[in-house]
mmCIF file of all heavy atoms in Angstrom:
data_model
loop_
_atom_site.group_PDB
_atom_site.id
_atom_site.type_symbol
_atom_site.label_atom_id
_atom_site.label_comp_id
_atom_site.label_asym_id
_atom_site.label_seq_id
_atom_site.Cartn_x
_atom_site.Cartn_y
_atom_site.Cartn_z
ATOM 1 N N TYR S 110 13.915 53.463 23.283
ATOM 2 C CA TYR S 110 14.634 54.662 22.861
ATOM 3 C C TYR S 110 13.649 55.804 22.610
ATOM 4 O O TYR S 110 13.962 56.960 22.890
ATOM 5 C CB TYR S 110 15.466 54.393 21.604
ATOM 6 C CG TYR S 110 16.786 53.738 21.917
ATOM 7 C CD1 TYR S 110 16.923 52.357 21.849
ATOM 8 C CD2 TYR S 110 17.890 54.491 22.292
ATOM 9 C CE1 TYR S 110 18.132 51.751 22.150
ATOM 10 C CE2 TYR S 110 19.095 53.892 22.595
ATOM 11 C CZ TYR S 110 19.211 52.521 22.519
ATOM 12 O OH TYR S 110 20.403 51.932 22.831
ATOM 13 N N SER S 111 12.476 55.473 22.100
ATOM 14 C CA SER S 111 11.464 56.519 21.871
ATOM 15 C C SER S 111 11.100 57.207 23.180
ATOM 16 O O SER S 111 10.973 58.433 23.232
ATOM 17 C CB SER S 111 10.216 55.936 21.225
ATOM 18 O OG SER S 111 10.511 55.409 19.956
ATOM 19 N N ASP S 112 10.930 56.422 24.242
ATOM 20 C CA ASP S 112 10.638 57.005 25.551
ATOM 21 C C ASP S 112 11.803 57.871 26.022
ATOM 22 O O ASP S 112 11.605 58.952 26.572
ATOM 23 C CB ASP S 112 10.378 55.908 26.588
ATOM 24 C CG ASP S 112 9.094 55.140 26.339
ATOM 25 O OD1 ASP S 112 8.247 55.622 25.548
ATOM 26 O OD2 ASP S 112 8.935 54.059 26.944
ATOM 27 N N ALA S 113 13.026 57.385 25.825
ATOM 28 C CA ALA S 113 14.212 58.133 26.242
ATOM 29 C C ALA S 113 14.297 59.468 25.501
ATOM 30 O O ALA S 113 14.630 60.504 26.094
ATOM 31 C CB ALA S 113 15.470 57.308 26.007
ATOM 32 N N ILE S 114 13.993 59.457 24.224
ATOM 33 C CA ILE S 114 14.013 60.690 23.433
ATOM 34 C C ILE S 114 12.993 61.676 23.997
ATOM 35 O O ILE S 114 13.272 62.868 24.139
ATOM 36 C CB ILE S 114 13.750 60.385 21.940
ATOM 37 C CG1 ILE S 114 14.953 59.652 21.348
ATOM 38 C CG2 ILE S 114 13.444 61.661 21.163
ATOM 39 C CD1 ILE S 114 14.693 59.010 19.995
ATOM 40 N N GLY S 115 11.816 61.188 24.354
ATOM 41 C CA GLY S 115 10.791 62.045 24.952
ATOM 42 C C GLY S 115 11.245 62.652 26.269
ATOM 43 O O GLY S 115 11.008 63.838 26.529
ATOM 44 N N VAL S 116 11.912 61.855 27.104
ATOM 45 C CA VAL S 116 12.415 62.364 28.382
ATOM 46 C C VAL S 116 13.451 63.457 28.138
ATOM 47 O O VAL S 116 13.432 64.508 28.786
ATOM 48 C CB VAL S 116 13.013 61.212 29.236
ATOM 49 C CG1 VAL S 116 13.767 61.758 30.435
ATOM 50 C CG2 VAL S 116 11.915 60.257 29.673
ATOM 51 N N VAL S 117 14.357 63.235 27.198
ATOM 52 C CA VAL S 117 15.373 64.247 26.892
ATOM 53 C C VAL S 117 14.716 65.523 26.392
ATOM 54 O O VAL S 117 15.069 66.621 26.829
ATOM 55 C CB VAL S 117 16.405 63.721 25.866
ATOM 56 C CG1 VAL S 117 17.305 64.847 25.365
ATOM 57 C CG2 VAL S 117 17.240 62.605 26.479
ATOM 58 N N LYS S 118 13.746 65.394 25.501
ATOM 59 C CA LYS S 118 13.056 66.580 24.988
ATOM 60 C C LYS S 118 12.370 67.355 26.105
ATOM 61 O O LYS S 118 12.351 68.583 26.089
ATOM 62 C CB LYS S 118 12.030 66.187 23.918
ATOM 63 C CG LYS S 118 12.649 65.819 22.594
ATOM 64 C CD LYS S 118 11.564 65.471 21.588
ATOM 65 C CE LYS S 118 12.141 65.158 20.228
ATOM 66 N NZ LYS S 118 11.093 64.846 19.248
ATOM 67 N N ASP S 119 11.823 66.642 27.090
ATOM 68 C CA ASP S 119 11.135 67.297 28.205
ATOM 69 C C ASP S 119 12.087 68.011 29.153
ATOM 70 O O ASP S 119 11.696 68.986 29.797
ATOM 71 C CB ASP S 119 10.315 66.278 28.998
ATOM 72 C CG ASP S 119 9.102 65.771 28.237
ATOM 73 O OD1 ASP S 119 8.708 66.416 27.240
ATOM 74 O OD2 ASP S 119 8.551 64.724 28.646
ATOM 75 N N HIS S 120 13.332 67.529 29.267
ATOM 76 C CA HIS S 120 14.218 68.030 30.315
ATOM 77 C C HIS S 120 15.490 68.727 29.833
ATOM 78 O O HIS S 120 16.155 69.371 30.642
ATOM 79 C CB HIS S 120 14.641 66.867 31.224
ATOM 80 C CG HIS S 120 13.522 66.302 32.017
ATOM 81 N ND1 HIS S 120 12.702 65.311 31.529
ATOM 82 C CD2 HIS S 120 13.079 66.583 33.257
ATOM 83 C CE1 HIS S 120 11.801 65.007 32.447
ATOM 84 N NE2 HIS S 120 12.000 65.761 33.504
ATOM 85 N N HIS S 121 15.871 68.611 28.568
ATOM 86 C CA HIS S 121 17.202 69.063 28.170
ATOM 87 C C HIS S 121 17.445 70.564 28.365
ATOM 88 O O HIS S 121 18.578 70.987 28.531
ATOM 89 C CB HIS S 121 17.538 68.629 26.732
ATOM 90 C CG HIS S 121 16.886 69.430 25.660
ATOM 91 N ND1 HIS S 121 15.568 69.249 25.304
ATOM 92 C CD2 HIS S 121 17.369 70.400 24.861
ATOM 93 C CE1 HIS S 121 15.277 70.083 24.321
ATOM 94 N NE2 HIS S 121 16.343 70.789 24.035
ATOM 95 N N ARG S 122 16.413 71.360 28.380
ATOM 96 C CA ARG S 122 16.608 72.805 28.566
ATOM 97 C C ARG S 122 16.765 73.192 30.043
ATOM 98 O O ARG S 122 17.256 74.260 30.355
ATOM 99 C CB ARG S 122 15.453 73.567 27.948
ATOM 100 C CG ARG S 122 15.520 73.555 26.433
ATOM 101 C CD ARG S 122 14.493 74.502 25.812
ATOM 102 N NE ARG S 122 14.689 74.618 24.395
ATOM 103 C CZ ARG S 122 14.203 73.788 23.484
ATOM 104 N NH1 ARG S 122 13.477 72.753 23.864
ATOM 105 N NH2 ARG S 122 14.429 73.980 22.202
ATOM 106 N N SER S 123 16.365 72.305 30.943
ATOM 107 C CA SER S 123 16.419 72.623 32.364
ATOM 108 C C SER S 123 17.638 72.025 33.067
ATOM 109 O O SER S 123 17.786 72.187 34.271
ATOM 110 C CB SER S 123 15.139 72.143 33.057
ATOM 111 O OG SER S 123 15.033 70.735 32.967
ATOM 112 N N VAL S 124 18.501 71.321 32.338
ATOM 113 C CA VAL S 124 19.691 70.714 32.934
ATOM 114 C C VAL S 124 20.936 71.114 32.141
ATOM 115 O O VAL S 124 20.836 71.622 31.026
ATOM 116 C CB VAL S 124 19.575 69.169 32.983
ATOM 117 C CG1 VAL S 124 18.447 68.739 33.901
ATOM 118 C CG2 VAL S 124 19.403 68.585 31.600
ATOM 119 N N THR S 125 22.087 70.871 32.738
ATOM 120 C CA THR S 125 23.351 71.177 32.055
ATOM 121 C C THR S 125 23.553 70.254 30.861
ATOM 122 O O THR S 125 23.960 70.689 29.790
ATOM 123 C CB THR S 125 24.533 71.043 33.029
ATOM 124 O OG1 THR S 125 24.276 71.888 34.154
ATOM 125 C CG2 THR S 125 25.830 71.429 32.370
ATOM 126 N N ALA S 126 23.282 68.967 31.046
ATOM 127 C CA ALA S 126 23.409 67.995 29.959
ATOM 128 C C ALA S 126 22.444 66.851 30.194
ATOM 129 O O ALA S 126 22.175 66.467 31.334
ATOM 130 C CB ALA S 126 24.835 67.461 29.865
ATOM 131 N N ALA S 127 21.939 66.303 29.108
ATOM 132 C CA ALA S 127 21.083 65.118 29.150
ATOM 133 C C ALA S 127 21.755 64.064 28.281
ATOM 134 O O ALA S 127 22.226 64.365 27.182
ATOM 135 C CB ALA S 127 19.692 65.439 28.632
ATOM 136 N N LYS S 128 21.801 62.837 28.796
ATOM 137 C CA LYS S 128 22.457 61.758 28.063
ATOM 138 C C LYS S 128 21.531 60.563 27.963
ATOM 139 O O LYS S 128 20.789 60.260 28.896
ATOM 140 C CB LYS S 128 23.736 61.327 28.779
ATOM 141 C CG LYS S 128 24.776 62.413 28.865
ATOM 142 C CD LYS S 128 26.027 61.923 29.548
ATOM 143 C CE LYS S 128 27.056 63.052 29.571
ATOM 144 N NZ LYS S 128 28.348 62.581 30.051
ATOM 145 N N ILE S 129 21.599 59.869 26.828
ATOM 146 C CA ILE S 129 20.916 58.590 26.663
ATOM 147 C C ILE S 129 21.997 57.523 26.720
ATOM 148 O O ILE S 129 22.994 57.596 26.000
ATOM 149 C CB ILE S 129 20.135 58.510 25.334
ATOM 150 C CG1 ILE S 129 19.032 59.579 25.293
ATOM 151 C CG2 ILE S 129 19.546 57.109 25.149
ATOM 152 C CD1 ILE S 129 18.271 59.640 23.988
ATOM 153 N N VAL S 130 21.784 56.537 27.602
ATOM 154 C CA VAL S 130 22.766 55.481 27.826
ATOM 155 C C VAL S 130 22.122 54.147 27.472
ATOM 156 O O VAL S 130 21.019 53.835 27.939
ATOM 157 C CB VAL S 130 23.229 55.482 29.302
ATOM 158 C CG1 VAL S 130 24.295 54.421 29.526
ATOM 159 C CG2 VAL S 130 23.746 56.869 29.696
ATOM 160 N N ASP S 131 22.809 53.345 26.638
ATOM 161 C CA ASP S 131 22.238 52.066 26.221
ATOM 162 C C ASP S 131 22.472 50.977 27.264
ATOM 163 O O ASP S 131 23.073 51.223 28.320
ATOM 164 C CB ASP S 131 22.770 51.648 24.846
ATOM 165 C CG ASP S 131 24.240 51.267 24.851
ATOM 166 O OD1 ASP S 131 24.854 51.188 25.931
ATOM 167 O OD2 ASP S 131 24.787 51.047 23.749
ATOM 168 N N ARG S 132 22.016 49.778 26.980
ATOM 169 C CA ARG S 132 22.097 48.675 27.945
ATOM 170 C C ARG S 132 23.523 48.265 28.268
ATOM 171 O O ARG S 132 23.777 47.620 29.278
ATOM 172 C CB ARG S 132 21.296 47.479 27.450
ATOM 173 C CG ARG S 132 21.941 46.803 26.239
ATOM 174 C CD ARG S 132 21.159 45.634 25.765
ATOM 175 N NE ARG S 132 19.987 46.156 25.102
ATOM 176 C CZ ARG S 132 19.071 45.423 24.539
ATOM 177 N NH1 ARG S 132 19.163 44.137 24.546
ATOM 178 N NH2 ARG S 132 18.039 45.962 23.944
ATOM 179 N N ASP S 133 24.483 48.611 27.416
ATOM 180 C CA ASP S 133 25.900 48.299 27.658
ATOM 181 C C ASP S 133 26.596 49.422 28.410
ATOM 182 O O ASP S 133 27.817 49.437 28.494
ATOM 183 C CB ASP S 133 26.616 48.043 26.335
ATOM 184 C CG ASP S 133 26.055 46.834 25.599
ATOM 185 O OD1 ASP S 133 25.668 45.860 26.275
ATOM 186 O OD2 ASP S 133 25.995 46.885 24.352
ATOM 187 N N ASP S 134 25.821 50.373 28.906
ATOM 188 C CA ASP S 134 26.315 51.535 29.641
ATOM 189 C C ASP S 134 27.158 52.456 28.769
ATOM 190 O O ASP S 134 28.040 53.156 29.256
ATOM 191 C CB ASP S 134 27.084 51.105 30.894
ATOM 192 C CG ASP S 134 26.974 52.156 31.982
ATOM 193 O OD1 ASP S 134 25.919 52.813 32.073
ATOM 194 O OD2 ASP S 134 27.949 52.328 32.744
ATOM 195 N N SER S 135 26.889 52.446 27.464
ATOM 196 C CA SER S 135 27.560 53.355 26.536
ATOM 197 C C SER S 135 26.666 54.559 26.290
ATOM 198 O O SER S 135 25.460 54.406 26.055
ATOM 199 C CB SER S 135 27.825 52.665 25.192
ATOM 200 O OG SER S 135 28.677 51.556 25.364
ATOM 201 N N VAL S 136 27.246 55.738 26.312
ATOM 202 C CA VAL S 136 26.486 56.951 26.029
ATOM 203 C C VAL S 136 26.296 57.039 24.523
ATOM 204 O O VAL S 136 27.258 57.099 23.765
ATOM 205 C CB VAL S 136 27.216 58.204 26.566
ATOM 206 C CG1 VAL S 136 26.473 59.461 26.170
ATOM 207 C CG2 VAL S 136 27.385 58.118 28.077
ATOM 208 N N VAL S 137 25.034 57.019 24.082
ATOM 209 C CA VAL S 137 24.739 57.078 22.651
ATOM 210 C C VAL S 137 24.289 58.471 22.217
ATOM 211 O O VAL S 137 24.247 58.769 21.025
ATOM 212 C CB VAL S 137 23.683 56.022 22.243
ATOM 213 C CG1 VAL S 137 24.239 54.616 22.442
ATOM 214 C CG2 VAL S 137 22.391 56.197 23.021
ATOM 215 N N PHE S 138 23.930 59.312 23.199
ATOM 216 C CA PHE S 138 23.546 60.693 22.903
ATOM 217 C C PHE S 138 23.905 61.555 24.101
ATOM 218 O O PHE S 138 23.729 61.156 25.248
ATOM 219 C CB PHE S 138 22.040 60.829 22.650
ATOM 220 C CG PHE S 138 21.581 62.264 22.655
ATOM 221 C CD1 PHE S 138 21.762 63.064 21.550
ATOM 222 C CD2 PHE S 138 21.020 62.825 23.794
ATOM 223 C CE1 PHE S 138 21.375 64.399 21.573
ATOM 224 C CE2 PHE S 138 20.623 64.145 23.822
ATOM 225 C CZ PHE S 138 20.807 64.933 22.708
ATOM 226 N N THR S 139 24.410 62.751 23.814
ATOM 227 C CA THR S 139 24.598 63.750 24.861
ATOM 228 C C THR S 139 24.212 65.109 24.297
ATOM 229 O O THR S 139 24.616 65.474 23.188
ATOM 230 C CB THR S 139 26.030 63.774 25.432
ATOM 231 O OG1 THR S 139 26.116 64.795 26.413
ATOM 232 C CG2 THR S 139 27.076 63.987 24.371
ATOM 233 N N SER S 140 23.419 65.838 25.039
ATOM 234 C CA SER S 140 22.930 67.137 24.566
ATOM 235 C C SER S 140 24.046 68.172 24.475
ATOM 236 O O SER S 140 23.884 69.187 23.815
ATOM 237 C CB SER S 140 21.817 67.648 25.483
ATOM 238 O OG SER S 140 22.313 67.862 26.793
ATOM 239 N N ALA S 141 25.183 67.894 25.099
ATOM 240 C CA ALA S 141 26.314 68.820 25.013
ATOM 241 C C ALA S 141 26.964 68.780 23.634
ATOM 242 O O ALA S 141 27.661 69.715 23.254
ATOM 243 C CB ALA S 141 27.351 68.481 26.088
ATOM 244 N N GLU S 142 26.720 67.715 22.888
ATOM 245 C CA GLU S 142 27.356 67.560 21.579
ATOM 246 C C GLU S 142 26.397 67.631 20.395
ATOM 247 O O GLU S 142 26.822 67.857 19.275
ATOM 248 C CB GLU S 142 28.091 66.215 21.528
ATOM 249 C CG GLU S 142 29.225 66.126 22.512
ATOM 250 C CD GLU S 142 29.862 64.749 22.525
ATOM 251 O OE1 GLU S 142 29.463 63.879 21.729
ATOM 252 O OE2 GLU S 142 30.755 64.544 23.362
#
Side-chain angles (χ1 to χ4, degrees):
Y110 278 95
S111 297
D112 292 345
I114 290 166
V116 169
V117 170
K118 285 181 177 181
D119 290 343
H120 293 87
H121 77 282
R122 287 189 172 85
S123 63
V124 295
T125 304
K128 297 181 178 188
I129 298 176
V130 182
D131 69 7
R132 70 180 74 179
D133 297 324
D134 209 34
S135 298
V136 175
V137 295
F138 167 80
T139 179
S140 63
E142 296 175 3

